[in-house]
Structures are given as C-alpha cells and as structure tokens.
Amino acid sequence: MVLSDLRRLRMLRELAERRTLTAVASALGYSPSAVSQQLAVLEKEAGVGLLEPAGRGVRLTDAGRVLAGHAAILLRAVEDAETDLASLTDEVRGRVRAVGVQSAARRLLIPALVALAEERPGVAVEITELEVELALPELRLGAVDLVISDEYDGFPRPRPAGLVHTPLHREAVRLVLPANHALAQGADPVPVAALRDEVWAASGEGTGHQAMVRGTCRAHGGYEPDLRHRSDDADVQLELVRCAGVVTLLPKLALPAADPRLAVRDVAGVDLARRLFVVTRDAPVSPALRAYLAALLEQVRRPAA
C-alpha cells in the first residue's frame, strides 16, 4: 500500500466529518467530481474499498473509517512539524484564519489585524464572520485557526473535545429601547417585567443570544417574549429598535458609541453579561498565531474595548 498524497487523506478525513462529497468539496475548494476522483485514486493506493453507496451519496466502509482515523493523526503531525519549523526562524511569517461573531470581528479581530500588519508584515490574517455553532466544527477540522466564541451568563455553550477555550473579555448586556419610549425617560434601570407587552428582536433560532433573551424574560419577567424579529446581525436589530419601536438586549461591543434615536439602559435587578473566549485547537501554537493572539489581547486591554 502506497499513500502518496496528503491531499487525498485530507479529503477522506473531511468526508468522515462532513458526511457528503458536496460538503467536502465546498470546504476544500474543489468540485464534487474532483473529490470523488481523488478518493477513487486513494482507494487504488490503499488496495481496499474505502467508500460504499448510501442512498444518493456515499459513506465510509470500515476500512475507510480506519484510514480516516490514521489520516487525522498524519495531518496533525504535519501541522505540528510546520509549527516547529516556523518556530526556528527569527522572522514571524504565516497565515492566520480567524473567525468571530459580528461584534467581536468588528471591534477586536479587525483592529488586531491592523495593529499586527505594522509589527509583523509577514503574517497574513484572514477574517470571516461566522456564527459559533458553525465555526467550531471548522476549527476542529483545521479549516480555521482561531474562533472568538461568545457565551451569555447562565447559558453555557458545549465544550467540544480537542479545543481550548481561553477567557478573553467580559462585558455587560444592556437593554436597548427607542429614545422616545416611555421607559427610556430618565437613566434608571428598567425592570424586565415592565417589558411584557413589547415586541422583541433577537438572533436566530438555536443561538445563545436568543436563548438569553427568552431566558431573561422568563426568569425575571415571568412571560414569554413576543419575539417577532430574528437577525444574527446586531445592526439589523438596532435598526428595528430605531424604526419599528422594538426592544432588545445587546452586549456592549455590539452597541454604537452614541445614537440619539436609541436609549441604552441597565436591566433592573439583573446582572446580565456576555463572555468572550478565544478558542483554538489543542495543539502547538504557530508563531504567526501567537503574534495575532498577542495583538488581540492588546485590543481587549485598550480603554475603547
């Protein structure tokens, strides 16, 4: 058996995780037919069947699952070797693929990129906005190097094996009302119970933000919120507050510096907060990633954060 191409092993490992040739092709930048052809070559090299029909698609055979497990080990060893070699040079070079929720991308990831570009021009940072639920599987597969995950107090996220969660920042969650709202007059905190009859905006189904909004209304107001508007874009939620008179709860990093059409208030009797984590693979950290992490921590320490 001669396995001569790591690309094919990566495709097999991706298929084990992503389940379909289409998903593998999308993740790796190939066409589904190209992936199928490369896996056929891998079968010939292995001398044993790796795939079998499953409905309209394919699935791994027992041999395919065994080889996919070994592929993960081999690919990890190559990644570790590249990191070790990069650590021997004085010049920090490399690529960092960073993912974050919208507010973290705008307020932390992008400023850290700008700062690092001046100090370490050999480091190329790529930033993608993606919800955490989709980003963590990509991180585990090695498609990205860093994810900024968020978590609302009382609504913890799962901690997938093989990933390291490092606390980065804690910030208050505040109530956002239209500036002309009756409860916005004055600067006093607003009780959740007083918002029973309001129309709410939150992020989409299955997100931590929506769970936090619903859970806060239930636990501290005794009602199910009239959640008519859903968007993972905080700017869309803010525009709904301005133009449609709805209310929402948003963390500080998602709020504009000042807006005369918005009123931002504390929630009475409730300490609502969001925590941000840097999530990386449980593996040696490359010099490029280490440099970007340092720039990211510097942004958090700045007063504006």
Side-chain angles (χ1 to χ4, degrees):
M1 178 175 66
V2 179
L3 303 177
S4 60
D5 195 329
L6 284 175
R7 292 179 306 159
R8 295 173 191 138
L9 289 174
R10 184 177 297 279
M11 289 177 181
L12 186 70
R13 178 193 175 228
E14 293 277 337
L15 182 59
E17 296 287 343
R18 300 183 188 274
R19 305 297 184 187
T20 70
L21 294 174
T22 300
V24 173
S26 177
L28 299 182
Y30 293 90
S31 68
S33 62
V35 173
S36 180
Q37 290 169 8
Q38 290 299 311
L39 290 175
V41 173
L42 183 62
E43 282 190 311
K44 291 180 180 179
E45 292 179 337
V48 63
L50 303 176
L51 309 177
E52 61 186 9
R56 295 183 178 180
V58 296
R59 64 187 174 197
L60 298 184
T61 63
D62 290 342
R65 285 188 289 272
V66 169
L67 185 56
H70 286 288
I73 296 171
L74 290 170
L75 293 167
R76 172 68 175 270
V78 170
E79 183 178 315
D80 291 349
E82 290 173 344
T83 298
D84 290 343
L85 289 174
S87 300
L88 297 176
T89 63
D90 294 330
E91 184 181 8
V92 178
R93 304 186 62 85
R95 179 178 62 159
V96 176
R97 298 157 298 179
V99 173
V101 292
Q102 182 195 56
S103 56
R106 183 173 56 195
R107 300 292 182 87
L108 298 176
L109 291 179
I110 294 175
L113 177 156
V114 174
L116 186 63
E118 298 179 0
E119 300 176 7
R120 303 288 188 180
V123 178
V125 179
E126 302 172 3
I127 293 177
T128 302
E129 179 191 331
L130 192 65
E131 286 302 308
V132 175
E133 292 81 5
L134 299 176
L136 293 186
E138 296 299 301
L139 175 64
R140 192 166 60 83
L141 284 170
V144 300
D145 305 301
L146 158 72
V147 172
I148 293 188
S149 171
D150 64 348
E151 182 177 281
Y152 293 90
D153 286 354
F155 301 91
R157 291 185 183 274
R159 297 286 193 269
L163 301 180
V164 177
H165 287 67
T166 304
L168 178 66
H169 179 60
R170 188 178 188 271
E171 59 179 346
V173 172
R174 307 193 71 193
L175 173 67
V176 188
L177 305 151
N180 60 0
H181 196 287
L183 293 173
Q185 310 314 308
D188 293 339
V190 177
V192 177
L195 303 166
R196 175 184 294 271
D197 297 326
E198 302 297 329
V199 175
W200 289 78
S203 295
E205 294 292 341
T207 61
H209 181 260
Q210 184 176 138
M212 180 272 296
V213 170
R214 289 188 182 278
T216 299
C217 292
R218 292 167 180 168
H220 301 283
Y223 60 89
E224 187 70 28
D226 183 359
L227 186 52
R228 298 186 198 178
H229 308 291
R230 298 169 179 83
S231 174
D232 295 335
D233 188 331
D235 288 339
V236 172
Q237 294 186 40
L238 290 169
E239 191 66 8
L240 284 164
V241 176
R242 296 184 190 101
C243 301
V246 309
V247 302
T248 190
L249 296 167
L250 286 173
K252 182 179 177 181
L253 284 180
L255 298 175
D259 189 325
R261 293 181 294 171
L262 300 175
V264 180
R265 300 288 182 267
D266 290 330
V267 180
V270 185
D271 181 20
L272 294 177
R274 178 178 76 158
R275 291 179 292 163
L276 299 179
F277 296 86
V278 173
V279 190
T280 54
R281 289 187 295 282
D282 186 9
V285 176
S286 70
L289 179 55
R290 188 178 301 112
Y292 186 62
L293 288 171
L296 191 59
L297 289 172
E298 185 60 32
Q299 292 302 317
V300 171
R301 297 188 187 105
R302 294 169 62 90

